[in-house]
């Protein structure tokens, strides 16, 4: 019955397109996974070009020194000279090692650098100029990654953290032309990656993260004097073109992470089989930020896709902040229906509050850990999605786990850059396990948060391997027992090069899999990208279409012929009437 339902449904979807935009509705359904191709750009020290964009206001009252009019009312009014804004730019860069404070590589694929803008006009440094940094690679649309305001020295230094596919950020500074009163924006780009240079001592090919300093010498450009409602509706200092909350002065923009995967190895303090599939979750986050770059609200979506271990685990988030927060959480099963199994799932973190139900949590409770996904034996429905190497594991074997939708709203906006909140731009997620050491359930964190008594990262082993890693996009995790560090038994032949170069070489190592030159080689990765689809009927349709491809193809041929006959008959009838 289900097969015939699918066969009948597909033609209806095509028929429904006849009154909509042209295009094959089914083709996007049949595409699999995400494509994250890196666009490499070569940037060097020297000049770069900034453009001036007219934002279209003639309110001369907004200039610091308004154009004076003649005192004699009978005298003709002198026209305002439209002197253009001009800008000269030089950009310098310095390489920023992507390592921790003690030199350890934190296994972050994100690029984390400060971007410095120095703004000087004909009178000297320009203070109080709003600077906005965006990138378009992650989501395809401008995504604000940082905002700041120039100080008395005309300088704004803004930290950014972006995926390795982002090689430059866009810079926008809103101000005014004092001779015309026109509000303008200086726009340009700044590199944040460049090819490693052997002449500068680089020993590994690839790209290095760089901190750019953009020196802008401008003429006829200064900050807006006061608020121009047509440009900044809520007068919060953020122009409407960058303000996602133009009517709310307490909020400015949303930082969107895009999709990532966090994968754990759970045999801490042993590296175990290093297959990084013991607990794997696909997630994305959004931060609602204030004009001064603090965070008011965190929204996150988390879907479990692997439990390649005998232990059970829960995924939590630790927040080291001085504010209370209201936590809201809801769960969906693999088909997108409400899931109510959290309350009965075992818990592995003591003295916690708000598990499964949310509520108002104080700073101590937030630091202890907000429950994101409860015990993995429940949230992956007794499955693992981690077959042995060479197993014929298909979309029909893959099980999509529970999805948690979590919202955390702070009573007061918080600075997440202080405390143990962020490493490599990602929050402090940790795994709690149903195994105890000295009577306490074990917990595993990502590198970058905690040091041991010797000052080394507590969650890197003596060979520098982590128990947790975050990968951009949907990560095709290794099959069971496939050590990701061994090219001979792993689908990722560039992982070691990336690890040993401290992230300089092969930043896109996770894009290169199953390239081992051996005949009849087994599959060493689980192709989660091919199997992971959106919830709801469309996902069921994709799966069913792939399973019943011959029947669907036949049905499309029949329907196509029928539609052709119908249109031919209708056209003939129309021509007959005209005759």
């Amino acid at each position: 019955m289900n097969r015939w339902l699918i066969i009948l449904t597909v033609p209806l979807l095509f028929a429904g397109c006849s009154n909509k935009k042209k295009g094959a509705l089914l083709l996007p359904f049949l595409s699999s996974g995400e494509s994250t191709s890196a666009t490499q750009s070569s940037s060097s020290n020297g000049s770069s070009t900034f453009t001036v964009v007219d934002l279209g206001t003639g309110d001369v009252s907004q200039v610091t020194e308004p154009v004076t009019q003649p005192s004699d009312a009978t005298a003709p009014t002198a026209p305002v000279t439209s002197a253009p804004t001009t800008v000269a730019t030089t950009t310098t860069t310095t390489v920023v090692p992507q390592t921790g404070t003690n030199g350890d590589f934190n296994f972050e694929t994100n690029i984390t650098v400060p971007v410095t803008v120095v703004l000087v006009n004909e009178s000297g440094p320009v203070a109080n100029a709003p600077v906005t940094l965006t990138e378009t690679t992650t989501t395809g649309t401008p995504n604000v990654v940082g905002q700041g305001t120039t100080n008395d020295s005309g300088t704004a230094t803004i930290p950014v953290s972006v995926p390795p596919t982002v090689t430059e950020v866009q810079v926008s500074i809103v101000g005014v032309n004092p001779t015309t009163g026109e509000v303008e924006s200086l726009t340009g780009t700044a590199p944040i990656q460049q090819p490693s240079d052997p002449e500068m001592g680089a020993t590994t090919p690839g790209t290095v993260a760089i901190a750019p300093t953009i020196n802008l010498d401008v003429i006829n450009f200064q900050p807006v004097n006061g608020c121009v409602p047509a440009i900044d509706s809520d007068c919060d200092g953020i122009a409407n073109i960058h303000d996602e909350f133009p009517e709310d002065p307490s909020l400015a923009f949303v930082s969107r992470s895009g999709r990532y995967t966090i994968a754990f190895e759970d045999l801490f303090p042993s590296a175990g089989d290093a297959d990084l599939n013991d607990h794997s979750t696909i997630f994305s986050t959004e931060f609602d930020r204030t004009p001064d770059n603090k965070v008011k609200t965190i929204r996150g979506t988390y879907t479990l896709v692997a439990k390649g271990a005998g232990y059970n685990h829960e995924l939590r988030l630790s927040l080291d902040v001085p504010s209370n927060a209201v936590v809201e959480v809801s769960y969906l099963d693999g088909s997108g229906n409400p899931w109510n199994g959290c309350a009965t799932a075992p818990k592995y973190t003591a003295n916690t509050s708000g598990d499964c139900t949310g509520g108002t949590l104080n700073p101590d409770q937030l630091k202890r850990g907000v429950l994101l996904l409860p015990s993995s034996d429940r949230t992956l429905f007794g499955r693992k999605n981690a077959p042995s190497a060479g197993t014929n594991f298909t979309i029909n074997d893959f099980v999509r786990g529970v999805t948690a939708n979590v919202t955390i709203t702070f009573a007061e906006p918080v600075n997440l850059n202080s405390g143990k909140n962020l490493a490599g731009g990602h929050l402090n997620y940790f795994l709690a396990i149903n195994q105890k050491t000295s009577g306490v359930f074990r917990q595993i964190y990502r590198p970058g948060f905690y040091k041991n008594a010797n000052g080394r990262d507590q969650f890197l082993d003596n060979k520098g391997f982590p128990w947790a890693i975050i990968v951009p996009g949907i990560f095709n995790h290794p099959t069971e027992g496939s050590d990701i560090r061994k090219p001979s038994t792993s689908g990722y032949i560039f992982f070691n090069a990336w690890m040993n170069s401290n992230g300089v070489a092969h930043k896109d190592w996770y894009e290169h899999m199953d390239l081992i030159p051996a005949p009849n080689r087994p599959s060493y990765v689980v192709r989660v990208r091919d199997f992971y689809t959106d919830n709801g009927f469309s996902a069921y349709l994709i799966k069913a279409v792939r399973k019943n491809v011959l029947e669907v193809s036949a049905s499309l041929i029949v329907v196509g012929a029928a539609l052709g006959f119908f249109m031919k008959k209708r056209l003939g009838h129309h021509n007959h009437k005209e005759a």
Side-chain angles (χ1 to χ4, degrees):
M1 180 63 185
N2 286 341
R3 175 177 298 183
W4 287 108
L5 175 63
I6 296 304
I7 294 171
L8 292 173
T9 301
V10 172
L12 289 176
L13 290 174
F14 275 88
C17 292
S18 61
N19 294 322
K20 298 180 181 179
K21 293 182 180 179
K22 294 182 179 180
L25 178 62
L26 187 60
L27 291 181
F29 288 172
L30 293 178
S31 63
S32 59
E34 291 186 339
S35 175
T36 54
S37 58
T39 302
Q40 299 293 336
S41 64
S42 177
S43 303
S44 59
N45 298 355
S47 298
S48 58
T49 301
F50 267 59
T51 60
V52 181
V53 179
D54 184 0
L55 299 184
T57 180
D59 187 354
V60 295
S61 66
Q62 302 305 319
V63 300
T64 301
E65 298 178 359
V67 177
T68 58
Q69 302 297 330
S71 58
D72 185 357
T74 61
T77 301
V80 176
T81 303
S82 181
T85 296
T86 61
V87 56
T89 310
T90 58
T91 300
T92 60
T93 61
T94 55
V95 175
V96 180
Q98 299 296 289
T99 55
T101 55
N102 61 353
D104 289 329
F105 179 45
N106 287 336
F107 284 81
E108 282 295 340
T109 44
N110 271 11
I111 306 302
T112 302
V113 296
V115 176
T116 301
V117 175
V118 182
L119 183 63
V120 179
N121 66 11
E122 58 271 30
S123 300
V126 179
N128 300 316
V131 182
T132 303
L133 305 180
T134 60
E135 59 87 12
T136 57
T137 303
T138 301
T139 62
T141 58
N143 181 37
V144 177
V145 294
Q147 195 277 334
T149 304
T150 56
N151 58 21
D152 290 340
S153 300
T155 300
T157 299
I158 304 169
V160 300
S161 184
V162 294
T165 51
V166 178
T167 58
E168 64 182 16
V169 294
Q170 291 77 49
V171 182
S172 174
I173 307 173
V174 177
V176 68
N177 183 321
T179 64
T180 65
E182 294 290 335
V183 176
E184 299 173 333
S185 177
L186 305 181
T187 62
T189 60
I192 57 172
Q193 289 189 72
Q194 68 184 22
S196 58
D197 188 354
E199 295 183 1
M200 300 297 291
T203 58
T204 305
T207 60
V208 292
I210 54 174
T213 299
I214 305 97
N215 295 287
L216 295 168
D217 293 320
V218 296
I219 297 176
N220 281 333
F221 187 84
Q222 63 187 38
V224 174
N225 179 27
C227 175
V228 182
I231 302 300
D232 182 8
S233 299
D234 55 11
C235 298
D236 62 356
I238 309 299
N240 290 343
I241 58 173
H242 299 303
D243 195 337
E244 295 193 59
F245 306 90
E247 305 298 330
D248 184 351
S250 68
L251 293 173
F253 61 92
V254 181
S255 296
R256 298 173 175 86
S257 71
R259 187 174 280 171
Y260 283 85
T261 304
I262 182 169
F264 288 88
E265 182 64 41
D266 71 355
L267 288 181
F268 179 82
S270 167
D273 53 10
D275 54 17
L276 288 172
N277 66 18
D278 293 339
H279 193 281
S280 183
T281 297
I282 297 170
F283 73 95
S284 62
T285 57
E286 293 182 347
F287 296 168
D288 290 351
R289 293 186 179 271
T290 64
D292 59 355
N293 220 24
K294 292 183 178 180
V295 174
K296 176 63 175 178
T297 301
I298 297 172
R299 286 181 298 278
T301 299
Y302 307 85
T303 303
L304 183 62
V305 292
K307 179 195 177 298
Y311 295 145
N312 298 326
H313 332 78
E314 59 187 19
L315 181 66
R316 289 184 179 263
L317 167 61
S318 176
L319 293 168
D320 184 10
V321 295
S323 173
N324 291 347
V326 175
V327 178
E328 302 170 83
V329 60
S330 62
Y331 296 99
L332 301 174
D333 64 18
S335 299
N337 300 314
W339 181 74
N340 301 314
C342 181
T344 58
K347 307 300 186 298
Y348 311 126
T349 303
N351 302 318
T352 54
S353 299
D355 287 357
C356 305
T357 59
T360 300
L361 276 62
N362 62 37
D364 288 339
Q365 293 166 337
L366 291 171
K367 189 172 183 179
R368 194 170 293 120
V370 176
L371 179 66
L372 302 178
L373 288 168
S375 186
S376 52
D377 62 331
R378 306 291 182 87
T379 47
L380 205 58
F381 313 112
R383 304 291 288 275
K384 290 192 172 184
N385 288 342
S388 300
T391 301
N392 184 24
F393 189 81
T394 70
I395 188 172
N396 295 313
D397 302 305
F398 178 79
V399 175
R400 182 187 178 113
V402 165
T403 295
N405 295 305
V406 181
T407 300
I408 302 171
T409 303
F410 299 103
E412 297 293 336
V414 297
N415 178 11
L416 290 181
N417 291 314
S418 64
K420 296 177 179 179
N421 290 305
L422 295 169
H426 293 292
L427 293 167
N428 189 5
Y429 302 110
F430 69 93
L431 205 64
I433 306 174
N434 69 330
Q435 290 292 311
K436 292 184 177 181
T437 299
S438 300
V440 178
F441 286 118
R442 292 191 287 119
Q443 296 179 348
I444 295 176
Y445 292 80
R446 291 191 296 120
F449 289 103
Y450 299 101
K451 300 291 190 297
N452 60 21
N454 298 321
R456 290 188 55 82
D457 198 301
Q458 187 173 340
F459 293 95
L460 289 169
D461 73 3
N462 56 10
K463 296 181 180 179
F465 185 74
W467 280 272
I469 189 170
I470 291 181
V471 180
I474 298 177
F475 177 45
N476 290 336
H477 55 260
T479 52
E480 185 60 29
S482 297
D483 190 333
I484 198 170
R485 300 169 298 184
K486 298 180 179 179
S488 61
T489 60
S490 168
Y492 292 107
I493 60 174
F494 297 133
F495 178 86
N496 279 345
W498 174 69
M499 177 179 68
N500 294 330
S501 67
N502 284 347
V504 173
H506 296 292
K507 286 187 175 73
D508 62 345
W509 63 268
Y510 51 88
E511 294 288 347
H512 302 280
M513 63 197 79
D514 273 354
L515 300 180
I516 304 169
N520 301 318
R521 67 183 184 276
S523 175
Y524 291 112
V525 297
V526 178
R527 297 185 178 277
V528 185
R529 288 188 188 179
D530 294 341
F531 306 151
Y532 186 90
T533 54
D534 289 333
N535 278 326
F537 181 70
S538 62
Y540 173 71
L541 183 60
I542 298 169
K543 191 169 181 179
V545 165
R546 288 176 174 169
K547 185 176 181 181
N548 304 295
V549 63
L550 294 179
E551 293 93 331
V552 170
S553 298
S555 72
L556 292 179
I557 293 172
V558 171
V559 172
L563 288 176
F565 174 77
F566 172 76
M567 293 302 295
K568 182 177 180 181
K569 184 176 180 180
R570 185 176 180 181
L571 183 61
H573 178 67
H574 179 71
N575 292 336
H576 177 71
K577 286 182 64 178
E578 288 185 345

